[in-house]
Amino acid sequence: EWRLTVHPISSQGVSLYIPQSAINATVEEDILLSVEYSCHGIPTIEWKYTSNWRSQKIVEWKPGTQANISESHKDRLCTFDNGSIQLFSVGVRDSGYYIITVTEPLGSSQFGTIVLHVSEILYEDLHFVAVFLAFLAAVAALLISLMWVCNKCAYKFQRKRRHKLKESTTEEIELQDVEC
């Protein structure tokens, strides 16, 4: 009689679970890159950042020990024993691929990727547009007011000139009358 013994896959190697593989965020937001792993012993956890422009290791640690955080992410990153990391006050430059590698003491490893897209805050753009339009409206109102004042001044100047012209022509007429 044959007996089949089933061993769970997690008994050998590393298993890694990523609940959210794509994250959309806005500038200045704090982001949690959440993962969970299971393995034998205490693993080494490493996160790398990759984009079209650059690729770099951002942090490496063993749970329960001090994390080795890259200079570019010092004071901007927090690690958790379950393998997750938190990025504080993200910017557009943080958009890209975050690759986690969990390696157990025996050498087997597992990796996963989280895509982060950071965009500018829309309401700030709208605020800028509103301020710009208000500025344009104020400039237009000022120009219209100046045109109105200039028009009034020009009208008064023309009336004075017409009046002086009438006076000079009447004087000439009177002079002509006297000569005859």
Side-chain angles (χ1 to χ4, degrees):
E1 207 175 288
W2 290 89
R3 290 185 102 169
L4 181 65
T5 312
V6 179
H7 296 285
I9 296 168
S10 60
S11 70
Q12 290 182 336
V14 180
S15 65
L16 182 65
Y17 172 64
I18 299 175
Q20 194 176 0
S21 61
I23 299 172
N24 289 316
T26 51
V27 171
E28 299 296 313
E29 210 176 319
D30 295 342
I31 300 303
L32 179 67
L33 302 179
S34 181
V35 298
E36 289 176 34
Y37 68 86
S38 65
C39 70
H40 291 291
I42 297 170
T44 300
I45 299 166
E46 178 188 271
W47 280 91
K48 285 183 182 172
Y49 165 77
T50 304
S51 72
N52 295 338
W53 301 278
R54 62 190 169 108
S55 180
Q56 70 170 127
K57 186 196 297 192
I58 54 174
V59 65
E60 183 179 66
W61 81 100
K62 287 180 183 276
T65 65
Q66 185 75 33
N68 183 15
I69 302 171
S70 71
E71 282 300 315
S72 63
H73 286 75
K74 283 245 188 281
D75 305 322
R76 294 191 40 216
L77 186 139
C78 178
T79 60
F80 299 93
D81 283 349
N82 70 352
S84 302
I85 58 172
Q86 186 164 21
L87 296 171
F88 299 107
S89 190
V90 293
V92 175
R93 70 189 183 288
D94 292 314
S95 294
Y97 298 90
Y98 289 82
I99 301 156
I100 179 174
T101 306
V102 180
T103 307
E104 68 176 357
L106 295 173
S108 66
S109 65
Q110 186 67 261
F111 75 94
T113 305
I114 297 177
V115 181
L116 175 63
H117 177 70
V118 182
S119 56
E120 295 287 345
I121 299 171
L122 183 61
Y123 72 81
E124 277 188 359
D125 293 343
L126 291 175
H127 175 75
F128 171 76
V129 170
V131 168
F132 184 68
L133 288 176
F135 173 74
L136 284 181
V139 168
L142 182 67
L143 289 174
I144 290 168
S145 300
L146 281 172
M147 285 175 61
W148 182 78
V149 168
C150 288
N151 191 30
K152 284 288 184 190
C153 290
Y155 180 72
K156 283 186 177 181
F157 180 72
Q158 282 179 343
R159 271 184 49 198
K160 280 186 179 179
R161 228 171 137 202
R162 277 196 199 126
H163 189 66
K164 281 186 178 177
L165 280 173
K166 278 185 184 176
E167 283 177 5
S168 63
T169 51
T170 47
E171 282 175 16
E172 283 176 24
I173 294 167
E174 285 172 9
L175 286 170
Q176 287 174 359
D177 288 343
V178 171
E179 284 176 11
C180 294

